[in-house]
Amino acid sequence: MIHGAKCAAISIGKEGSTGQNHAALRGDKPGYQYQVESVFAARQIGWDREHIGSHVIRRNTIHDCGQNAIVGHLGCAFSTIEDNHIRDIGVKREFYGYEIAGIKLHAAVDVVIRHNRIHGCSLGTWLDWQAQGTRLSRNVYHDNCRDLFVEVSHGPYLVDHNIFGSPASLELFSQGGAFVHNLICGTLRLEPVLDRATPYHLPHSTQVAGYAVIYGGDDRYVGNLFLGGDPGAAYGPGAEGEGPPLAGTAGYDGHPASFEEYLARLDAQPPSDQQKYVEVRQPVYARANAYATGARPFDGERGPRVLGTATATVVEEDDAVWLVTDLPAAFDEARVGVVTGRDLERVRCADAEFEEPDGSPAVMDVDLSGAPRRPGRDGAAGPIADLRSGARRTRVF
């Protein structure tokens, strides 16, 4: 058990020679520019799989810390964070800044964040810059101010079989993500970032392949269960950001629904180089998701299931955590087979596939409870493969 850290409980790396708080101390360039420089400086001093990262953080209870339970900048790459209980991080409001979350990582290259319970935090998990090859799987988020924020990353990053149970479930200021078999109880908020170009990498490497701005979109949604989150409960007055929080994937309305449609829209633009890519939204690939209690699908989704009223709540009793659901009968028709990386469209900017760290296609065949999803056999939308309609209690942690 680790608790009471004034700042971060566990730090898994920032190489010191790349600079420390230069933006504040020097005041001559924005923090964004120093961050770009740190990526290249780290490469010059040996930031690669053989010399950094590969940490394992497993089976800890971390609570009541000022800024982070776990933090990493560059040195977090190739690490595994699993089976931890993280709570009450950043809620005393002792600090103001943009690095406060239960788990806060820059450059989470090939990082696995698996089967953690994260609750009571100002922000559950923040993947900031270069979330590439990252997999967030089988975690339970609840009672956070916000659950998951992915910022200025190009993917591919994979989010599967999680519960996002807080009023503000997802914030995506990124592109190139895949969301498979999640329960999303709150709002989804989207925002492009056209004034900060960030790096992307060769697959499974710290070698920089290029950099680009965040156009938004280029995301995939398969077999998720969305409930009707309340935007009024998700954010207070004066909250930062421009994208409206919505229930479901409706925030993607107007995006192309296929890569072919995207190319056709580009061809229809007046002759230009960079400008037409700013004007044309990136494609969004969505199929076989279920929407209840007012959550609404993206207007280009294939085969959405729009259900009636439903409830889902995360409940703690003694040492167990339960998902308590009451779902309409139509939920039993919201079924989908095993999803693999071969079923997910290639990420556009990074030109990369959804893979395991060894380069084989990612496979999403274990649900939140640890039960297998079997090839050739459809399972329920959401994180529990055998979940059914009606009133149910399922242990999730």
Side-chain angles (χ1 to χ4, degrees), residues 250-300:
Y252 291 104
D253 284 356
H255 282 256
S258 69
F259 192 66
E260 292 72 23
E261 183 184 352
Y262 172 68
L263 293 178
R265 292 191 189 186
L266 289 175
D267 288 343
Q269 291 291 306
S272 68
D273 183 18
Q274 173 67 11
Q275 187 59 37
K276 65 182 179 182
Y277 295 95
V278 177
E279 299 295 333
V280 175
R281 296 178 178 183
Q282 292 192 102
V284 173
Y285 312 97
R287 64 179 177 88
N289 299 289
Y291 299 84
T293 319
R296 190 168 66 81
F298 159 54
D299 58 14

Side-chain angles (χ1 to χ4, degrees), residues 14-323:
K14 180 184 185 300
E15 208 292 320
S17 69
T18 61
Q20 176 61 30
N21 207 23
H22 280 174
L25 295 175
R26 296 180 177 180
D28 58 343
K29 289 185 285 189
Y32 156 74
Q33 191 63 39
Y34 278 116
Q35 169 67 14
V36 171
E37 293 173 2
S38 74
V39 174
F40 290 95
R43 277 293 307 175
Q44 292 167 6
I45 57 174
W47 175 47
D48 56 32
R49 185 187 291 272
E50 287 70 35
H51 295 94
I52 59 94
S54 299
H55 306 284
V56 177
I57 302 175
R58 180 182 293 142
R59 291 192 289 275
N60 300 283
T61 296
I62 309 173
H63 67 91
D64 290 291
C65 299
Q67 290 183 292
N68 317 104
I70 301 166
V71 68
H73 179 284
L74 305 176
C76 63
F78 316 114
S79 295
T80 299
I81 301 170
E82 64 181 353
D83 298 327
N84 299 287
H85 181 192
I86 296 170
R87 64 174 177 84
D88 300 314
I89 305 298
V91 293
K92 295 180 181 178
R93 303 297 193 265
E94 296 171 290
F95 303 97
Y96 173 80
Y98 295 104
E99 311 299 330
I100 299 173
I103 300 174
K104 172 66 197 285
L105 304 178
H106 279 83
V109 177
D110 280 15
V111 170
V112 174
I113 301 172
R114 179 173 54 216
H115 197 242
N116 302 281
R117 179 186 173 202
I118 302 175
H119 64 106
C121 299
S122 60
L123 172 55
T125 296
W126 188 348
L127 302 177
D128 193 358
W129 292 57
Q130 302 151 275
Q132 183 165 334
T134 314
R135 184 165 181 178
L136 191 86
S137 182
R138 302 176 57 224
N139 301 283
V140 178
Y141 293 84
H142 65 97
D143 297 298
N144 300 298
C145 295
R146 298 176 290 159
D147 284 336
L148 174 65
F149 180 24
V150 187
E151 186 178 9
V152 292
S153 295
H154 304 279
Y157 67 90
L158 176 59
V159 180
D160 74 285
H161 289 99
N162 302 279
I163 292 175
F164 298 106
S166 302
S169 291
L170 300 176
E171 292 183 334
L172 307 180
F173 294 18
S174 286
Q175 55 198 11
F179 296 81
V180 180
H181 282 303
N182 300 286
L183 170 59
I184 301 163
C185 297
T187 59
L188 168 58
R189 185 162 159 251
L190 307 166
E191 197 163 306
V193 184
L194 299 175
D195 60 350
R196 285 187 290 156
T198 56
Y200 51 89
H201 300 270
L202 298 177
H204 316 296
S205 169
T206 59
Q207 182 68 49
V208 175
Y211 64 94
V213 298
I214 302 300
Y215 299 98
D218 195 22
D219 292 327
R220 299 132 193 86
Y221 291 85
V222 183
N224 300 283
L225 172 58
F226 291 88
L227 299 188
D230 177 6
Y235 295 92
E240 293 186 12
E242 298 177 1
L246 299 173
T249 53
Y252 291 104
D253 284 356
H255 282 256
S258 69
F259 192 66
E260 292 72 23
E261 183 184 352
Y262 172 68
L263 293 178
R265 292 191 189 186
L266 289 175
D267 288 343
Q269 291 291 306
S272 68
D273 183 18
Q274 173 67 11
Q275 187 59 37
K276 65 182 179 182
Y277 295 95
V278 177
E279 299 295 333
V280 175
R281 296 178 178 183
Q282 292 192 102
V284 173
Y285 312 97
R287 64 179 177 88
N289 299 289
Y291 299 84
T293 319
R296 190 168 66 81
F298 159 54
D299 58 14
E301 176 162 349
R302 292 183 289 134
R305 294 280 184 180
V306 180
L307 313 177
T309 301
T311 60
T313 308
V314 177
V315 175
E316 180 179 12
E317 293 182 359
D318 298 323
D319 293 329
V321 181
W322 300 83
L323 176 64

